[in-house]
Amino acid sequence: MFIPKNALTYFFILIGFLGFSQEKINQLDAQGKRHGKWMKTYEDSKQKRYEGTFDHGQEIGTFKFYKPKSKDQPFATKTYTRGSDEVQVKFYTTKGKVASEGVLVDKKHEGVWKYYHKNSDVLMMEETYKNDKLNGLKTIYFENRIPTETQTYKDGILEGENKIYADNGQLLQVYFYKNGKLNGDSKTFNAEGKLTSEGKYKNGLRDGDWKFYTNGKLTKTEHYPIEHPKVKGKEKQAD
């Protein structure tokens, strides 16, 4: 039987396509390690739990992770690079917007992590990690992208300068922390940027002379800790 040359060509192309489209998944190599494309579903469900590619037991490329009702929208992805301990991680909203992203090293937060306002590309917060602990600057943002607060951390504890702003960028408060407690100079300002108070903290409490201002003018000075008058040998309790 004569078969046209073109028909043979189409036949082999079709066979090749079918072979490609039926790529095997969830395979093991000779050493019993995962190799190639893998995809797992939730028990008694067709919903994917995760999918990604292994190279002789080692994750490579991007893995997608799903919740029981995610359908085709992953709630997280992890991207692996051959020869690197760093894993790029992204978490998503149900609408597919990035909710947060950063780097994991040995399952620990490392470097800068970013968080976004819900279903938005606008940055809500940036944190800096070292070995899974906050280290360095943390910045929180209004939806208009202006910082609302900046903090400084060391080994997961507040350490150093802390600033609070209004949504127009006006500085409202300046504090300093040491080992997680307020220590050192402090100033507060009103919406027009005029000084309203200044003084020092020691171990989380006001200490020494504090000055208070109205419309930029000194109106009151208080000394801390406040000494209450004594009544019949006992301190008078504050109301």
Side-chain angles (χ1 to χ4, degrees):
M1 181 179 67
F2 174 75
I3 300 177
K5 183 177 181 180
N6 288 344
L8 285 172
T9 302
Y10 292 140
F11 174 76
F12 287 117
I13 290 175
L14 178 61
I15 292 299
F17 175 77
L18 290 174
F20 176 78
S21 63
Q22 296 175 3
E23 176 187 2
K24 293 182 178 180
I25 64 172
N26 299 354
Q27 300 294 299
L28 301 176
D29 65 10
Q31 286 72 43
K33 297 179 180 179
R34 300 179 195 184
H35 187 65
K37 184 176 180 180
W38 272 67
M39 190 271 288
K40 287 290 187 179
T41 61
Y42 285 94
E43 188 175 355
D44 298 326
S45 171
K46 293 182 179 180
Q47 172 64 54
K48 287 183 287 188
R49 186 159 59 90
Y50 79 85
E51 59 181 338
T53 301
F54 289 89
D55 183 15
H56 300 289
Q58 177 65 51
E59 299 97 331
I60 58 172
T62 299
F63 275 65
K64 298 179 180 180
F65 301 86
Y66 302 85
K67 291 184 177 180
K69 296 183 180 180
S70 288
K71 295 184 179 180
D72 291 328
Q73 175 55 52
F75 80 91
T77 60
K78 293 182 179 180
T79 301
Y80 299 83
T81 302
R82 196 186 305 274
S84 175
D85 292 331
E86 294 187 354
V87 180
Q88 299 286 336
V89 180
K90 291 184 179 181
F91 292 95
Y92 299 87
T93 68
T94 55
K95 293 184 178 180
K97 288 285 188 178
V98 178
S100 62
E101 59 182 329
V103 172
L104 292 177
V105 177
D106 293 331
K107 298 182 180 181
K108 296 179 180 179
H109 292 70
E110 193 72 30
V112 176
W113 274 72
K114 297 180 179 181
Y115 306 81
Y116 298 89
H117 287 280
K118 189 173 182 180
N119 292 318
S120 168
D121 297 325
V122 178
L123 193 62
M124 181 181 69
M125 183 170 65
E126 281 183 301
E127 297 178 327
T128 306
Y129 285 88
K130 183 177 180 181
N131 197 29
D132 215 35
K133 292 183 179 180
L134 286 168
N135 270 279
L137 187 64
K138 173 180 178 178
T139 306
I140 305 168
Y141 297 90
F142 291 106
E143 288 193 66
N144 62 5
R145 303 175 191 270
I146 290 176
T148 177
E149 186 171 2
T150 59
Q151 303 172 340
T152 307
Y153 284 82
K154 182 179 180 182
D155 294 331
I157 299 173
L158 281 165
E159 183 80 18
E161 189 176 63
N162 184 100
K163 291 183 177 180
I164 298 175
Y165 300 86
D167 59 6
N168 63 356
Q170 173 60 54
L171 179 64
L172 297 178
Q173 300 175 12
V174 181
Y175 298 113
F176 286 86
Y177 284 85
K178 184 176 181 181
N179 198 29
K181 291 184 178 181
L182 286 165
N183 272 280
D185 295 333
S186 172
K187 292 183 179 182
T188 62
F189 304 86
N190 63 18
E192 288 74 42
K194 292 183 179 180
L195 186 66
T196 57
S197 70
E198 61 179 339
K200 291 180 180 294
Y201 280 94
K202 184 177 181 180
N203 293 325
L205 300 174
R206 288 180 176 181
D207 184 65
D209 290 332
W210 271 72
K211 298 178 180 180
F212 299 87
Y213 301 83
T214 302
N215 295 323
K217 293 183 179 181
L218 180 65
T219 56
K220 182 173 63 173
T221 299
E222 291 185 353
H223 186 82
Y224 292 85
I226 296 175
E227 295 181 0
H228 296 288
K230 295 181 179 180
V231 178
K232 295 181 180 180
K234 295 183 180 180
E235 288 191 3
K236 182 181 178 181
Q237 293 183 347
D239 294 333

